[in-house]
Amino acid sequence: MWESDGGLLARVDKNKMPRHVAIIMDGNGRWASVRGLLRSAGHTAGVKTLKNILKTAVNLKLEALTVYAFSTENWKRPPGEVDFLMHLFSDYLEREKLEMHENNVRIKFLGRTEDFSPALQKLIQESVDLMKNNTGVKFNVAADYGGQDEIIRTTQKLARRVQSGELSPEEISAQIFENELDTAGQPPVDLMIRTSGELRVSNFLLWQAAYAEFWFTETTWPEFTPEEFIDALVDFGKRNRRFGASAV
Ligand code: IPE
Ligand code: IPE
Ligand code: MG
């Protein structure tokens, strides 16, 4: 089992914890280039950070953690980098799936994934099946994911149901829509974190983050630590969420 750093976790007020945290893991390439390394070295270093943050999420008993691993736009990168990332995903799943399972993690993939290699798709399916009955942290990996793409796919699913006569257009509600999203059954995003100083959403969880609190840091993803993750959670606990209601 993954050990917990009790002192670190004690900083978080359990009553003010977000249910769902989403992370845009950005800055791997810049981390590498300032060190004179290849971008691929940054991605490899980023995987270590991910493992540490997932461990922290498990120990905190966070309900859901969603990480942005590969966007629908990331296919625009040089083929060598795309290929490296695909191999990195495979290696990560192969190496980590049993340990995640032992820690009661329930992995899920958000996005398309059908353009991945058959071998990677098989590994994804095996990992999902292995952990499908786990009751711990819901760990969502957004891979070939775009918020707009997800909304279009969801719309297509609903249009097909309308076409078959199973659903009328008037019956489509926010709830019905959410039930068809890749994140169906999970709480909305409470806290969205982005590393490396970029202040944008880059097509991540457009629907689910409708009322998310945002937390940005200059730290690049390979340098991001459980301590800084806890900083973000503590800061979240101080926010006054209004959801459109009046301030006082
Ligand atoms: C994030 O780091 C990882 C992926 C998008 C796969 P980047 O590769 O975007 O790193 P920077 O932003 O170029 O530094
Ligand atoms: C967003 O980062 C995607 C992931 C972290 C996987 P990018 O680095 O691709 O985003 P932009 O291009 O800077 O907006
Ligand atoms: Mg980037």
Side-chain angles (χ1 to χ4, degrees), residues 2 7 9-10 17 28 32 39 72 75 82 85 107 140 150 155 158 175 187 195-196 202 215 218-219 243-244 248:
W2 286 332
L9 304 185
M17 276 259 291
N28 294 349
R39 292 177 59 83
T72 46
W75 295 108
V82 171
L85 286 166
I107 202 169
N140 303 307
E150 182 189 28
T155 307
L158 291 171
Q175 191 57 56
T195 58
S196 88
S202 299
W215 197 84
E218 292 288 330
T219 307
F243 301 97
V248 276

Coordinates of all heavy atoms in Angstrom, one line a residue, residues 2 7 9-10 17 28 32 39 72 75 82 85 107 140 150 155 158 175 187 195-196 202 215 218-219 243-244 248:
W2 N 0.3 2.3 -0.6 CA 1.1 3.5 -0.6 C 1.0 4.2 0.8 O 0.0 4.3 1.4 CB 0.5 4.5 -1.6 CG 0.8 4.1 -3.0 CD1 1.9 3.4 -3.5 CD2 0.0 4.4 -4.2 NE1 1.8 3.2 -4.8 CE2 0.7 3.8 -5.3 CE3 -1.2 5.0 -4.4 CZ2 0.2 3.9 -6.6 CZ3 -1.7 5.1 -5.7 CH2 -1.0 4.6 -6.8
G7 N 1.7 14.3 8.3 CA 1.9 15.7 8.6 C 1.4 16.6 7.5 O 0.7 17.6 7.7
L9 N -0.8 15.7 5.1 CA -2.2 15.6 4.8 C -3.0 16.4 5.9 O -4.1 16.9 5.6 CB -2.7 14.2 4.8 CG -1.9 13.2 3.9 CD1 -2.6 11.8 3.9 CD2 -1.9 13.8 2.4
A10 N -2.5 16.5 7.1 CA -3.2 17.2 8.2 C -3.4 18.6 7.9 O -4.3 19.3 8.5 CB -2.4 17.0 9.5
M17 N -12.7 19.9 1.6 CA -12.0 19.3 0.5 C -12.9 19.4 -0.8 O -14.1 19.2 -0.8 CB -11.9 17.8 0.8 CG -10.7 17.5 1.6 SD -9.4 16.8 0.6 CE -10.0 15.3 0.1
N28 N 6.1 20.2 -19.3 CA 7.2 19.2 -19.4 C 8.3 19.6 -20.3 O 9.5 19.4 -20.1 CB 6.6 17.9 -19.9 CG 5.6 17.3 -18.9 OD1 5.5 17.7 -17.8 ND2 4.9 16.2 -19.4
A32 N 12.3 20.5 -19.5 CA 13.5 19.8 -20.1 C 14.4 20.8 -20.9 O 15.6 20.7 -20.7 CB 13.0 18.7 -21.1
R39 N 12.7 17.2 -25.0 CA 11.3 17.3 -24.5 C 10.9 16.0 -23.9 O 10.1 15.9 -22.9 CB 10.3 17.7 -25.5 CG 10.5 19.2 -26.0 CD 9.6 19.5 -27.2 NE 8.2 19.3 -26.7 CZ 7.5 20.3 -26.1 NH1 8.1 21.4 -25.8 NH2 6.3 20.1 -25.7
T72 N -6.9 16.6 -27.9 CA -7.2 16.3 -29.3 C -6.3 17.2 -30.2 O -6.1 16.8 -31.4 CB -8.7 16.6 -29.6 OG1 -9.1 17.8 -29.0 CG2 -9.6 15.5 -29.1
W75 N -2.2 16.0 -31.3 CA -1.8 15.3 -32.5 C -1.0 16.2 -33.5 O -0.3 15.7 -34.4 CB -3.0 14.8 -33.3 CG -3.8 13.7 -32.6 CD1 -5.0 13.8 -32.0 CD2 -3.4 12.3 -32.3 NE1 -5.4 12.7 -31.4 CE2 -4.4 11.7 -31.6 CE3 -2.2 11.6 -32.6 CZ2 -4.4 10.4 -31.2 CZ3 -2.2 10.2 -32.2 CH2 -3.2 9.7 -31.5
V82 N 4.8 12.6 -30.5 CA 3.5 11.8 -30.3 C 3.8 10.4 -30.0 O 3.3 9.8 -29.1 CB 2.6 12.0 -31.5 CG1 1.4 11.1 -31.4 CG2 2.1 13.5 -31.7
L85 N 5.1 9.8 -26.5 CA 4.0 9.9 -25.5 C 3.2 8.6 -25.5 O 2.8 8.1 -24.4 CB 3.1 11.1 -25.8 CG 3.8 12.5 -25.4 CD1 3.0 13.6 -26.0 CD2 3.9 12.6 -23.9
I107 N -9.5 3.4 -12.4 CA -9.1 4.2 -13.5 C -10.2 4.2 -14.6 O -10.9 3.2 -14.8 CB -7.7 3.6 -14.1 CG1 -7.0 4.7 -14.9 CG2 -8.0 2.4 -15.0 CD1 -5.6 4.4 -15.3
N140 N -9.4 9.6 -13.5 CA -9.7 9.8 -14.9 C -8.5 10.3 -15.7 O -8.0 11.4 -15.4 CB -10.8 10.8 -15.1 CG -12.1 10.4 -14.3 OD1 -12.6 9.3 -14.4 ND2 -12.6 11.4 -13.5
E150 N -15.9 16.1 -26.8 CA -16.8 15.4 -25.8 C -18.2 15.9 -26.0 O -19.2 15.1 -26.0 CB -16.3 15.5 -24.4 CG -17.1 14.7 -23.4 CD -16.7 15.1 -22.0 OE1 -16.3 16.2 -21.7 OE2 -16.9 14.2 -21.1
T155 N -23.6 15.1 -27.9 CA -24.8 15.6 -28.7 C -25.2 14.5 -29.7 O -26.4 14.2 -30.0 CB -24.4 16.9 -29.4 OG1 -23.9 17.8 -28.4 CG2 -25.6 17.5 -30.1
L158 N -27.2 11.8 -28.0 CA -28.5 12.2 -27.7 C -29.4 12.3 -29.0 O -30.5 11.9 -29.1 CB -28.5 13.5 -27.0 CG -28.0 13.4 -25.6 CD1 -27.8 14.8 -25.0 CD2 -28.9 12.6 -24.7
Q175 N -29.1 17.3 -16.8 CA -28.9 16.0 -16.2 C -28.8 14.9 -17.2 O -27.9 14.0 -17.2 CB -30.0 15.6 -15.2 CG -29.8 14.4 -14.4 CD -28.5 14.5 -13.5 OE1 -28.3 15.5 -12.8 NE2 -27.6 13.6 -13.7
P187 N -18.9 13.7 -9.9 CA -19.2 15.1 -9.5 C -18.6 16.1 -10.4 O -17.6 15.7 -11.1 CB -18.7 15.2 -8.1 CG -17.7 14.1 -7.9 CD -18.0 13.0 -8.9
T195 N -0.4 23.9 -14.2 CA 1.0 24.2 -13.9 C 1.6 25.0 -15.1 O 1.0 25.1 -16.1 CB 1.8 22.9 -13.6 OG1 1.7 22.0 -14.8 CG2 1.3 22.2 -12.4
S196 N 2.8 25.5 -14.8 CA 3.7 26.1 -15.8 C 3.3 27.5 -16.3 O 3.9 28.0 -17.3 CB 3.9 25.2 -17.0 OG 3.0 25.4 -18.0
S202 N -7.4 25.4 -22.5 CA -7.0 24.5 -23.5 C -7.9 23.3 -23.8 O -7.5 22.2 -23.9 CB -5.5 24.0 -23.2 OG -4.6 25.1 -23.2
W215 N -6.8 27.3 -10.0 CA -5.6 27.5 -9.3 C -4.4 27.4 -10.2 O -4.2 26.3 -10.8 CB -5.5 26.5 -8.1 CG -4.5 26.9 -7.1 CD1 -4.7 27.8 -6.0 CD2 -3.1 26.5 -7.0 NE1 -3.5 27.9 -5.3 CE2 -2.6 27.1 -5.8 CE3 -2.3 25.6 -7.7 CZ2 -1.3 26.9 -5.4 CZ3 -1.0 25.4 -7.3 CH2 -0.5 26.0 -6.2
E218 N 3.3 28.8 -11.4 CA 4.4 28.9 -12.4 C 5.2 27.6 -12.4 O 6.0 27.4 -13.4 CB 5.4 30.1 -12.0 CG 4.8 31.5 -12.1 CD 4.6 31.9 -13.5 OE1 5.4 31.5 -14.4 OE2 3.7 32.7 -13.8
T219 N 5.1 26.8 -11.4 CA 5.9 25.6 -11.3 C 5.6 24.7 -12.5 O 4.4 24.5 -12.9 CB 5.5 24.8 -10.0 OG1 5.6 25.7 -8.9 CG2 6.4 23.6 -9.8
F243 N -21.9 30.1 -6.8 CA -22.7 29.5 -7.8 C -23.8 30.5 -8.3 O -25.0 30.0 -8.5 CB -23.4 28.2 -7.3 CG -22.3 27.2 -6.9 CD1 -21.9 27.0 -5.6 CD2 -21.7 26.4 -7.9 CE1 -20.9 26.1 -5.2 CE2 -20.7 25.4 -7.6 CZ -20.3 25.3 -6.2
G244 N -23.5 31.7 -8.4 CA -24.4 32.7 -8.9 C -25.3 33.4 -7.8 O -26.0 34.4 -8.1
V248 N -23.3 38.3 -0.1 CA -23.6 38.3 1.4 C -25.1 38.2 1.6 O -25.9 38.5 0.8 CB -23.0 39.5 2.1 CG1 -21.5 39.4 2.4 CG2 -23.3 40.8 1.3

